[in-house]
Amino acid sequence: MSWLETFRAGVEAVRAHRLRSALTMLGIVIGISSVILTVGLGQGAQNQVKDQISALGSNLLIVSPGSSTDSSGLRGGFGSASTLTLQDAAAIGDDSVVPDAAAVAPTTSGSVSLTAGETNWTTSVAGTTTSWLGVRARELSSGRFFTDAEVEQTANVVVLGPDTASELFSFGSPVGQTVIVDGTELTVIGVLASTGSSSSGSSEDDVAVMPIGTAKLVTGASGSSVSTIYVEAASAETLGAAYQEVQALLLNLHGVAESDADFSIATQDSLVETANSTNRTLTVLLGGIAAISLLVGGIGVMNIMLVSVTERVREIGLRKALGATPRVIRRQFLVEASVLGLAGGVLGVGLGVLGAQVLPGLIDQPVAVSVVATLGAIGTALALGIGFGVYPASRAARLTPIDALRSE
Amino acid sequence: MSTIELDGVRKTYRSGSIEFEALCGIDIRIGSGEYVAVLGPSGSGKSTLMNVLGCLDVPTEGTYLLAGEDVSVMSEAQLAEVRNRRIGFVFQQFNLLAMLPAWRNVELPLVYAGLGRAERRERAHAALARVGLADRTENRPGELSGGQQQRVAVARALVTEPAIILADEPTGNLDSSSTADVLDLLDELHGAGRTIVLITHEHDVAARAGRRLVISDGRITSDERREVVR
């Protein structure tokens, strides 16, 4: 009996017991589709984070204030101190000290409430210098960015993110209009282009960018501390060198040893890595649960195949009497189990892919269906069918024809 | 040369410490084209003899030559092949597969013989025509009467052109008119030169055969040939 013949008979047997086959496959269908969805969710979240982080700019070093150690040796938490200053930024910008830094953008951040006419909108503010636009790889959709002179003069100008602009000015161009922040009138001189990285909750498109002095004024901050210094390396190759140079410079300026560093430098890669490691843990956890449900589905297949063997003892006896060898019988039951597994796998993939289309609309989370995971899932389902079919199949093959024929 | 040669065949069943001898030394020779009825009450060893003759079971002792091949020393897989090529079974319970139409039931032995689809289909239809069911090839067993189902089973037994047709109480589940139908069919096949071994406990069924073997307590107690008046 050829394999094709056996396969055809297997499909026939599965179809002959429609309800039972469907119920058996259900376990595998649910298992496979949940594996695809959980892996897809994890993948989707990772892609999203990656997009967001690469939208920050390219070849970027992000210098943040770290913890500081006070005179009594007590170490504060991360970000507890405003240890970075405009002077640090100026020093990094000095080509003779940090030759591999192409541009530096010291940035203060805060939250302000903007008023335009009757409309109120609370957003995050970024006070920075002219290099911010290039360092963060942003573009303007209309108007212009502020100039060095405006930074010098702490001019009352602001560049709005696209979301902020549309919230405040529903009609007409915002450029040239006035927004009031904490009693100070600011002229809108430009609107940023959208980063387009993701639809969900990205603050990159909801921001008010202004000269650093202006930002300090409206947020009520004082002194020369900054919350972040963005440093752009000349190229990807010099990113490592720039990292070393900035670190050495700041340690020297702050007069601390590396172990007591009161700042931290992150690269995009390290940010992606950190974000992914959290995601990965979650994906592994959920994937583990899905894998368990797959295992349960596989045991379901074995259960039904055993029932099937018991129920069809007479059929097995007859087939043997008519010339089926134990091998052919074993093969028949194995093929039946694999057909169940495979059909369950294909249906599960269908359901998973369908879920991946529907789910993002419901939970506002992207789901990326990977081809590898899909093929893997089908392969797993097939392996489950074969694996859990072996025992029932060998039981069927061992039946002696007389005993089998005589059973009622 | 005989189609069937049994020499000193014994079959012993063991259940725990109790030994039970179902066949105690059977010698039979059945020639090609004979129509033999095996008669005996239940518990006489009739079924065991049928299992041995049908290569469903191997004798504990003695030799069994079927069409010149010694089947008493064969492995399970080899026995399956011998059953497939040499023996056509007709059972009391018909043993048709309910999910398959008549012709698919008939082609089953050919599937295991490894024949191609087209040839199987052709031979299955021919066999069904032979038993007078040419217009019932697509019907499932459930849609056929008992007599028709048994005729499908006979067609299945015929389809491989076996050396012997082994019928185990083929009329046990049939009413009298279907019984006559099936027995007429067997007569006809015998007329066409088939070797038939019929196992029964009914004397009027056995009366159709040209040779009657009576088995009792695992031994052949009578072996008579006579002319059959049709």
Side-chain angles (χ1 to χ4, degrees), chain A residues 25-405:
Chain A
M25 280 189 283
L26 200 58
I28 293 207
V29 169
I30 292 174
I32 291 288
S33 55
S34 46
V35 164
I36 287 194
L37 276 182
T38 44
V39 171
L41 269 171
Q43 200 76 49
Q46 280 183 18
N47 290 349
Q48 191 182 27
V49 166
K50 215 166 168 180
D51 283 353
Q52 277 172 357
I53 291 173
S54 63
L56 289 176
S58 51
N59 307 327
L60 202 60
L61 292 176
I62 300 149
V63 188
S64 317
S67 53
S68 63
T69 310
D70 68 12
S71 53
S72 61
L74 212 63
R75 224 172 138 82
F78 177 81
S80 61
S82 315
T83 53
L84 292 177
T85 63
L86 281 170
Q87 288 75 33
D88 291 336
I92 295 169
D94 187 337
D95 276 352
S96 61
V97 187
V98 186
D100 291 308
V104 182
T107 307
T108 66
S109 56
S111 179
V112 291
S113 180
L114 306 177
T115 312
E118 297 290 298
T119 320
N120 264 306
W121 185 249
T122 303
T123 185
S124 56
V125 61
T128 184
T129 62
T130 50
S131 30
W132 185 88
L133 197 64
V135 168
R136 296 292 307 275
R138 298 297 295 262
E139 279 169 10
L140 291 165
S141 66
S142 64
R144 61 176 182 85
F145 204 64
F146 44 80
T147 61
D148 283 331
E150 281 165 333
V151 175
E152 286 289 305
Q153 297 155 13
T154 61
N156 289 341
V157 292
V158 65
V159 174
L160 299 177
D163 291 355
T164 325
S166 61
E167 287 294 342
L168 288 170
F169 305 100
S170 322
F171 307 103
S173 167
V175 178
Q177 307 265 27
T178 304
V179 292
I180 299 165
V181 185
D182 199 23
T184 310
E185 284 191 11
L186 301 178
T187 308
V188 180
I189 55 168
V191 177
L192 294 167
S194 169
T195 53
S197 62
S198 84
S199 56
S200 58
S202 161
S203 62
E204 301 296 319
D205 285 347
D206 182 11
V207 66
V209 189
M210 53 189 82
I212 188 160
T214 318
K216 281 186 176 295
L217 261 175
V218 298
T219 54
S222 58
S224 63
S225 71
V226 296
S227 40
T228 313
I229 301 174
Y230 294 104
V231 182
E232 187 186 10
S235 67
E237 287 73 42
T238 55
L239 189 66
Y243 185 102
Q244 303 286 339
E245 290 160 9
V246 170
Q247 190 181 36
L249 171 70
L250 291 180
L251 287 174
N252 192 19
L253 280 177
H254 296 186
V256 290
E258 195 177 338
S259 56
D260 294 331
D262 52 1
F263 59 90
S264 65
I265 308 173
T267 62
Q268 280 158 305
D269 284 347
S270 70
L271 288 179
V272 170
E273 198 40 53
T274 313
N276 279 358
S277 67
T278 344
N279 271 327
R280 211 172 294 130
T281 313
L282 206 65
T283 307
V284 166
L285 190 74
L286 288 174
I289 294 170
I292 289 172
S293 76
L294 250 185
L295 185 73
V296 174
I299 293 171
V301 169
M302 172 144 87
N303 205 343
I304 291 296
M305 290 314 293
L306 280 174
V307 169
S308 183
V309 168
T310 318
E311 215 175 61
R312 288 156 65 191
V313 164
R314 279 185 79 86
E315 178 191 329
I316 296 164
L318 173 75
R319 286 181 184 274
K320 284 195 153 184
L322 297 183
T325 55
R327 211 170 90 186
V328 166
I329 296 288
R330 191 181 313 124
R331 211 191 268 174
Q332 181 192 340
F333 277 84
L334 262 185
V335 165
E336 271 187 53
S338 349
V339 165
L340 277 177
L342 192 63
V346 170
L347 283 177
V349 164
L351 192 68
V353 169
L354 188 74
Q357 304 299 317
V358 176
L359 206 59
L362 298 177
I363 59 167
D364 203 20
Q365 266 290 323
V367 181
V369 177
S370 89
V371 179
V372 180
T374 307
L375 292 180
I378 293 182
T380 309
L382 186 60
L384 277 174
I386 293 173
F388 285 103
V390 165
Y391 175 62
S394 64
R395 256 185 65 156
R398 274 204 307 269
L399 287 170
T400 62
I402 355 163
D403 293 340
L405 273 172

Side-chain angles (χ1 to χ4, degrees), chain A residues 8 12 314 319 322 402, chain B residues 51 84 95 104 112 117:
Chain A
R8 214 179 269 144
E12 219 158 52
R314 279 185 79 86
R319 286 181 184 274
L322 297 183
I402 355 163
Chain B
N51 291 335
N84 183 257
N95 279 332
R104 294 285 308 278
Y112 295 121
R117 228 168 138 69

Side-chain angles (χ1 to χ4, degrees), chain B residues 170-191:
Chain B
T171 59
N173 278 359
L174 298 177
D175 60 30
S176 54
S177 84
S178 298
T179 297
D181 264 10
V182 169
L183 291 178
D184 287 348
L185 185 58
L186 291 179
D187 283 348
E188 210 183 306
L189 294 173
H190 175 234

